[in-house]
């Protein structure tokens, strides 16, 4: 039973390009969460999605960032016109239900470097 | 907004010594609390969680944590450190005891010295 799969593991983009990060949740999990990790800052919540719905996007920057979780296929975190400050590790997590006390299963992350 | 504070961004212990990683939460009601571990270049792995059952929670790899309401703390301990315990540890809380996504502390990097 594969865990949460994220790809690519490493992504290098030039300033102004688009970055697309993919996340396939664990089998049977229909809730996906995206977090961003910056050095010395821990993990910051970005967005929480259920299939075809955005449940909570309170941590997502208003500009350039978007996320989706279609009925079929992985969840996608999209960053348009990347800037150096977007360089970070982006982690996806999934859970089988919206009951937060269950806890999450995390993927290994995508490390984005903007040059 | 509810948060967790991890005291000490870096803790260093000798192999075989007690591990104590501190976490305090801000809440007027007992929250749900979690400890996660992150090994280099990997994702986070759940160590243990408190969900208002027993106040002493046992987790994987010999770790445990005790919920102390009077101190608003949920410190992580292990009696004897092993080299393989070297990693970053994150405390997390569900804000407002509700159903909103986990909020993480800034993490504590544990080094184990031979």
């Amino acid at each position: 039973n594969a865990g949460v799969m994220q790809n690519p593991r490493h992504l290098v983009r030039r300033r102004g390009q688009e970055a697309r990060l993919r996340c396939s949740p664990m089998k049977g999990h229909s809730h996906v969460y995206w977090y961003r990790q910056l050095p010395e800052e821990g993990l910051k919540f970005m967005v929480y999605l259920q299939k075809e719905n955005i449940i909570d996007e309170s941590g997502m920057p208003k500009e350039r960032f978007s996320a989706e979780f279609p009925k079929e296929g992985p969840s996608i975190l999209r960053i348009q016109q990347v800037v150096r400050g977007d360089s970070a590790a982006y982690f996806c997590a999934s859970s089988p239900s919206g009951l937060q006390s269950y806890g999450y299963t995390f993927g290994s992350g995508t490390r984005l470097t903007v040059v | 907004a509810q948060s967790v504070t991890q005291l000490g961004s870096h803790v260093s212990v000798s192999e075989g010594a007690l591990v104590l990683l501190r976490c305090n939460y801000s809440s007027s009601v007992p929250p749900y609390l979690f400890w996660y571990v992150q090994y280099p270049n990997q994702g986070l792995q759940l160590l243990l969680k408190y969900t208002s059952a027993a106040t002493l929670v046992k987790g994987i790899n010999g770790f445990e944590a005790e919920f102390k309401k009077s101190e608003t703390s949920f410190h992580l301990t292990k009696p004897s450190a092993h080299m393989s315990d070297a990693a970053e540890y994150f405390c997390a809380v569900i804000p407002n005891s509700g159903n909103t996504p986990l909020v993480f502390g800034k993490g504590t990097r544990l080094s184990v010295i031979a």
Side-chain angles (χ1 to χ4, degrees):
Chain A
N1 184 17
V4 177
M5 304 300 294
Q6 288 190 250
N7 65 81
R9 288 294 303 272
H10 300 276
L11 181 62
V12 179
R13 285 287 177 265
R14 296 185 184 281
R15 281 178 293 171
Q17 291 184 319
E18 177 180 289
R20 291 171 71 87
L21 288 62
R22 294 175 183 76
C23 169
S24 296
M26 276 190 73
K27 187 176 181 180
H29 288 196
S30 58
H31 296 252
V32 164
Y33 311 82
W34 285 94
Y35 284 79
R36 176 164 60 178
Q37 184 178 32
L38 291 165
E40 312 299 327
E41 291 190 23
L43 280 81
K44 300 293 187 186
F45 166 74
M46 299 182 75
V47 62
Y48 164 28
L49 310 103
Q50 199 180 353
K51 284 282 188 182
E52 299 184 278
N53 285 307
I54 295 175
I55 307 299
D56 183 347
E57 57 181 348
S58 58
M60 192 100 94
K62 296 285 185 264
E63 311 267 333
R64 303 186 297 108
F65 285 72
S66 62
E68 63 176 7
F69 188 17
K71 187 176 180 181
E72 301 290 338
S75 175
I76 306 287
L77 179 66
R78 182 183 177 204
I79 311 172
Q80 295 179 288
Q81 299 173 339
V82 296
V83 301
R84 288 224 170 108
D86 297 332
S87 295
Y90 292 82
F91 288 94
C92 169
S94 71
S95 66
S97 77
L99 193 61
Q100 302 299 316
S101 59
Y102 194 92
Y104 306 160
T105 301
F106 279 84
S108 297
T110 293
R111 282 149 184 84
L112 172 66
T113 303
V114 180
V115 297
Chain B
Q2 189 166 144
S3 66
V4 287
T5 302
Q6 292 185 241
L7 294 175
S9 59
H10 189 199
V11 171
S12 186
V13 300
S14 298
E15 192 174 18
L18 171 72
V19 176
L20 171 60
L21 304 180
R22 300 177 188 275
C23 173
N24 289 87
Y25 64 91
S26 62
S27 174
S28 58
V29 296
Y32 295 131
L33 290 156
F34 303 77
W35 275 100
Y36 282 83
V37 60
Q38 184 182 29
Y39 297 102
N41 298 314
Q42 294 187 28
L44 279 72
Q45 180 182 1
L46 180 65
L47 271 178
L48 49 81
K49 64 180 178 182
Y50 169 75
T51 56
S52 72
T55 56
L56 182 62
V57 182
K58 293 188 184 298
I60 61 172
N61 302 339
F63 284 93
E64 62 182 37
E66 186 172 8
F67 174 76
K68 290 188 176 179
K69 184 179 177 182
S70 61
E71 299 177 7
T72 60
S73 70
F74 190 56
H75 300 333
L76 182 70
T77 60
K78 182 174 180 177
S80 177
H82 192 272
M83 297 297 287
S84 61
D85 294 326
E88 186 136 22
Y89 292 81
F90 293 93
C91 184
V93 66
I94 296 177
N96 307 314
S97 295
N99 214 30
T100 48
L102 294 183
V103 171
F104 286 84
K106 292 189 176 183
T108 297
R109 183 169 300 280
L110 176 66
S111 298
V112 181
I113 304 166

